[in-house]
């Protein structure tokens, strides 16, 4: 009878859509949240690389003659333009990318906060980090053990 009441409470929480049904559902939600966090990190890294590329292009063509020809890739098509036409467009694109990176950083902070609240709410602890630290220290000691180095020389 007690198990039936517990099951009904869990099911009632699950119907609300906010609370997970069981431990496996909590683990799945946590994994999904971590996956989203990693995707945000990846996108930020990708866009920051594009910003640095835009900066390199801007720095390379800025000191040149404004009437000089240059080529720009637009939608997979290489188009001939002048530096005077291309430079403002590259700078606008760079500014747009920087805004997107700033918004993604805000989303990243929100997701980190959401994950930490989720961890606190469900008392989630990650054991993997502790195990890796122990393994690394064990490997360092283990790799030095049992090694005998003789003197450098040709004596047999």
């Amino acid at each position: 009878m007690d198990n039936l009441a517990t099951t009904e409470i869990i099911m009632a929480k699950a119907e609300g859509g906010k609370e997970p049904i069981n431990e496996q559902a909590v683990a799945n939600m946590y994994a999904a949240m971590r996956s989203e966090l990693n995707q945000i990190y990846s996108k930020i890294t990708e866009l920051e690389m594009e910003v640095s590329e835009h900066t390199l292009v801007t720095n390379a063509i800025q000191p040149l003659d404004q009437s000089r020809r240059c080529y720009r890739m637009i939608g997979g098509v290489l188009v001939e333009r002048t530096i005077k036409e291309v430079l403002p467009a590259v700078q606008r694109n760079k500014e747009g990318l920087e805004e997107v990176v700033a918004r993604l950083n805000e989303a990243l902070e929100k997701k980190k906060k959401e994950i930490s609240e989720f961890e606190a709410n469900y008392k989630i602890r990650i054991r993997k980090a502790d195990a890796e630290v122990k393994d690394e220290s064990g490997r360092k000691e283990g790799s030095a053990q049992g090694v005998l180095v003789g003197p450098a020389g040709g004596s047999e």
Side-chain angles (χ1 to χ4, degrees), residues 30-99:
Y30 184 70
M33 292 168 77
R34 298 288 297 187
S35 175
E36 287 178 42
L37 187 72
N38 289 335
Q39 288 173 351
I40 294 171
Y41 271 124
S42 296
K43 195 64 177 176
I44 288 172
T45 303
E46 176 187 335
L47 292 177
E48 284 177 341
M49 290 297 293
E50 284 192 36
V51 167
S52 74
E53 288 174 9
H54 279 69
T55 303
L56 286 173
V57 169
T58 302
N59 292 341
I61 66 175
Q62 211 163 20
L64 301 175
D65 180 26
Q66 297 293 305
S67 63
R68 186 170 173 175
R69 281 186 298 168
C70 68
Y71 296 89
R72 180 172 181 226
M73 183 75 71
I74 301 176
V77 178
L78 197 60
V79 181
E80 182 181 336
R81 298 277 187 244
T82 63
I83 290 177
K84 183 178 180 180
E85 295 169 331
V86 170
L87 189 58
V90 171
Q91 289 172 335
R92 276 194 308 275
N93 286 351
K94 179 185 166 198
E95 290 166 4
L97 287 169
E98 288 170 339
E99 288 176 23

Side-chain angles (χ1 to χ4, degrees), residues 88-133:
V90 171
Q91 289 172 335
R92 276 194 308 275
N93 286 351
K94 179 185 166 198
E95 290 166 4
L97 287 169
E98 288 170 339
E99 288 176 23
V100 172
V101 168
R103 278 191 253 127
L104 282 173
N105 278 323
E106 290 173 11
L108 180 70
E109 291 306 314
K110 285 180 186 176
K111 185 57 71 176
K112 282 181 180 178
K113 185 177 179 184
E114 184 181 334
I115 287 175
S116 66
E117 288 172 359
F118 192 82
E119 287 173 346
N121 191 21
Y122 291 101
K123 298 179 177 88
I124 297 173
R125 288 177 290 158
I126 300 175
R127 292 184 217 158
K128 182 178 168 187
D130 296 337
E132 285 178 0
V133 170

